[in-house]
Amino acid sequence: MPNPTRLRAAALTATALVLSVLLAGCGGGSQEDDEDLTAQKLDWKDCPAPSEAEGGGAAPSPLPDGDQWQCATMKAPLDWGNPKGDTIGLALIRARASGAADRRIGSLVFNFGGPGGSGVTTLPAFGQDYAKLRTRYDLVSFDPRGVGRSDPVECLDDKQLDAYFQQDATPDDQAERTELVDNTQEFNAACEKHSKEILPRVRTTDAARDMDLMRQVLGDEKLHYFGISYGTELGGVYAHLFPEHVGRAVFDAVVDPTQTAEQSSLGQAKGFQLALDNFAEDCVSKTEDCPVGDTAEDVKARIARLLKQLDREPIPGVFPRELTETAATGGIAQALYSKDFWEYLTEGLQQAYDGDGRVLMVLSDALNGRNEDGEYSNITAANVAINCADDKPRYDSAYVQGKLPEFRDASKVFGDYLAWSMLSCTDWPVAGAADHPDVSAPGAPPILVIGNTGDPATPYEGAGRMVDALGKGVGVELTYKGQGHGAYDSKNRCVQDAVHGYLLDGRVPAAKTVCS
């Protein structure tokens, strides 16, 4: 089963997992009874190469001005219900502010999404994109608990994951349904076996409390924050728990905080189908012939036929693995996270129609956190663990079968894939916390909430619902009429000017601003 939860991973996170980037070491331990974790001093050092759990690769290159990325480990309570008990080490990374010291505002903390993405690898991979913000902030990110080097959740090993992702995630008969359920149970049992202690302690509320400790350790009176994708949910939960500590905050690619896991999966089926529609329209609208279809409907029909053929007979992928229907669907989804990837989707489809599945499999590998050496980051394990710790509903095979018509109406390509993903938390060893997160934040300052009309993974409507849920006078909505997951990284001038104006100068844009 591919990325066995909802396709929440931010495009930046998924892409960073296949780039050469970095990370810091960490470790846990016990806490002295009189130790004040808010007073701890971080030992910042040059960053080592990332661990396998972070995605592997090389240590981060120096910043354009020659400064080095710095890494450290922050101690936090393993169990926030027992803050004087054992501790966990959380891996952090920073780039010091590049501007004059008297213009420095503080730290700007990033979470790039997932859940399960390593912020310590993602921030330097895209650090240059935030160069203007660095003029007044130290740029900071971290591996949330259960992720990367922050006591990573461990489930299956690399060889087992290769086999796991080759399984059929869209079963057609009882034998395939039984196999899918068995595989899910095996995955979940492996998580419990290898990570039993951390599984109950990776809820978003735990990560939010970690961020407030981080704020204090970094020496900031307020938490200035940039959350992307799942990072908007984490930011909303933080604002709910600590409204008085919220500084200047931006939410981009916004998770709908009002939805259950089922509603989120259905929304993503619609969102990815919309993105596929837009891809097809874009391809046939170019002056030259579209190489994967004569009309938009033809493009989509050919993709649907390809997936059915792959279900019957996979084609060669990245040796020795084959491109299955499941892997192809995941690869297509990965390419829809950014318009910059559409050319690779076209290339991958052309090759697949000729019996070569390599490009689509590489895209699928990026979604699943697999690097070219065959090593997996722990993004899948962490993604499942955090979602299942957060989400209360549990669904069984019979329930999913009853929902298939609704999901297929939403998307012929992604409907089955996302419907069956609802089994991920079945038999999970930890109870889910709630139907959906509480992000109400009365008394918090303005939070800039950016929705992208073409976003596949966090559909546009979620931004308005986040604004409503934050409460009157808190959320300020900005709409970007564009494609891909998120808006700031599109480099749209209007969006970036609004973000820079708020984060750097405190200017809140007018509510309902539209950028295109």
Side-chain angles (χ1 to χ4, degrees):
M1 184 175 180
N3 207 16
T5 58
R6 299 180 301 284
L7 292 166
R8 276 194 182 171
L12 293 183
T13 298
T15 304
L17 287 168
V18 293
L19 297 177
S20 296
V21 272
L22 94 12
L23 206 295
C26 85
S30 60
Q31 180 183 173
E32 298 294 334
D33 288 343
D34 59 350
E35 184 179 9
D36 179 5
L37 292 180
T38 65
Q40 65 183 291
K41 301 298 182 183
L42 299 179
D43 184 17
W44 293 101
K45 297 180 179 179
D46 289 351
C47 297
S51 68
E52 179 178 338
E54 294 164 330
S61 300
L63 290 147
D65 59 6
D67 284 355
Q68 296 288 335
W69 291 94
Q70 297 178 315
C71 289
T73 300
M74 183 187 80
K75 290 166 62 174
L78 173 64
D79 181 359
W80 275 103
N82 179 25
K84 293 295 184 180
D86 290 346
T87 61
I88 183 175
L90 302 180
L92 276 64
I93 186 169
R94 76 173 179 184
R96 300 299 299 270
S98 61
D102 62 354
R103 293 275 293 161
R104 180 181 177 276
I105 296 171
S107 302
L108 181 62
V109 176
F110 288 79
N111 182 281
F112 296 97
S118 166
V120 182
T121 60
T122 305
L123 181 58
F126 297 93
Q128 186 55 33
D129 294 348
Y130 306 105
K132 190 170 183 68
L133 297 175
R134 187 180 165 229
T135 60
R136 301 197 67 189
Y137 290 99
D138 294 348
L139 305 184
V140 177
S141 195
F142 63 107
D143 286 357
R145 53 177 60 218
V147 175
R149 284 195 180 161
S150 298
D151 201 347
V153 175
E154 297 178 356
C155 301
L156 302 177
D157 63 28
D158 292 339
K159 184 177 180 179
Q160 290 170 322
L161 283 170
D162 269 349
Y164 183 66
F165 288 121
Q166 290 287 98
Q167 301 297 325
D168 190 341
T170 55
D172 301 310
D173 55 38
Q174 185 56 51
E176 291 183 350
R177 288 191 289 271
T178 298
E179 183 179 18
L180 178 60
V181 170
D182 289 346
N183 290 337
T184 303
Q185 291 175 339
E186 179 183 349
F187 181 95
N188 294 352
C191 299
E192 182 177 23
K193 177 181 178 180
H194 297 297
S195 302
K196 185 174 183 179
E197 185 177 17
I198 192 67
L199 293 185
R201 300 178 175 92
V202 295
R203 293 189 171 99
T204 298
T205 50
D206 296 315
R209 295 184 187 282
D210 291 340
M211 286 205 305
D212 200 58
L213 176 61
M214 192 182 308
R215 171 191 64 81
Q216 297 171 77
V217 172
L218 292 170
D220 292 323
E221 181 180 351
K222 303 286 186 180
L223 178 76
H224 305 296
Y225 181 74
F226 199 138
I228 302 168
S229 194
Y230 162 78
T232 66
E233 180 177 321
L234 174 58
V237 170
Y238 179 90
H240 171 69
L241 293 175
F242 306 104
E244 71 280 9
H245 295 159
V246 176
R248 299 174 186 175
V250 172
F251 295 175
D252 186 9
V254 185
V255 171
D256 188 336
T258 70
Q259 292 185 327
T260 64
E262 177 187 340
Q263 291 168 333
S264 178
S265 292
L266 182 61
Q268 286 197 327
K270 296 174 182 177
F272 277 95
Q273 185 61 50
L274 173 63
L276 187 63
D277 293 345
N278 293 336
F279 160 77
E281 291 286 354
D282 179 77
C283 187
V284 300
S285 69
K286 299 186 186 313
T287 53
E288 66 272 17
D289 291 338
C290 175
V292 291
D294 297 327
T295 66
E297 289 304 315
D298 184 40
V299 171
K300 291 181 286 184
R302 290 190 69 189
I303 291 172
R305 288 197 300 271
L306 171 67
L307 294 176
K308 287 184 178 180
Q309 291 166 1
L310 292 173
D311 190 28
R312 295 190 299 269
E313 185 176 357
I315 61 176
V318 176
F319 184 81
R321 295 171 299 143
E322 293 182 317
L323 182 74
T324 62
E325 176 194 20
T326 295
T329 305
I332 294 167
Q334 170 63 14
L336 294 175
Y337 272 99
S338 171
K339 192 173 182 178
D340 292 341
F341 296 170
W342 286 6
E343 62 181 293
Y344 302 115
L345 177 54
T346 300
E347 180 184 357
L349 290 171
Q350 284 181 279
Q351 288 189 3
Y353 294 145
D354 290 333
D356 182 350
R358 284 177 295 177
V359 170
L360 289 182
M361 179 153 272
V362 168
L363 289 166
S364 179
D365 285 345
L367 184 71
N368 295 327
R370 188 186 195 273
N371 66 24
E372 61 184 7
D373 295 326
E375 298 175 342
Y376 286 86
S377 74
N378 90 311
I379 190 170
T380 293
N383 185 273
V384 176
I386 296 168
N387 279 333
C388 294
D390 278 348
D391 295 338
K392 188 175 181 179
R394 300 292 187 253
Y395 308 103
D396 60 21
S397 181
Y399 186 86
V400 172
Q401 288 182 72
K403 291 293 179 177
L404 285 175
E406 187 176 5
F407 275 78
R408 288 167 178 166
D409 283 345
S411 174
K412 292 180 180 179
V413 172
F414 300 104
D416 280 39
Y417 182 96
L418 283 159
W420 286 108
S421 76
M422 293 194 296
L423 290 183
S424 300
C425 296
T426 303
D427 298 318
W428 189 251
V430 175
D435 288 332
H436 54 80
D438 190 345
V439 300
S440 59
I447 295 173
L448 180 58
V449 179
I450 307 172
N452 179 355
T453 57
D455 197 314
T458 51
Y460 168 68
E461 294 78 11
R465 292 172 188 151
M466 175 67 81
V467 168
D468 291 342
L470 287 168
K472 187 175 181 180
V474 179
V476 177
E477 185 175 5
L478 182 149
T479 294
Y480 169 54
K481 292 185 176 180
Q483 304 299 328
H485 189 40
Y488 183 89
D489 192 55
S490 72
K491 298 180 175 59
N492 177 270
R493 181 67 179 271
C494 172
V495 172
Q496 294 199 338
D497 284 350
V499 171
H500 296 159
Y502 183 42
L503 290 179
L504 296 175
D505 300 316
R507 297 194 308 270
V508 182
K512 305 294 185 181
T513 294
V514 177
C515 295
S516 57

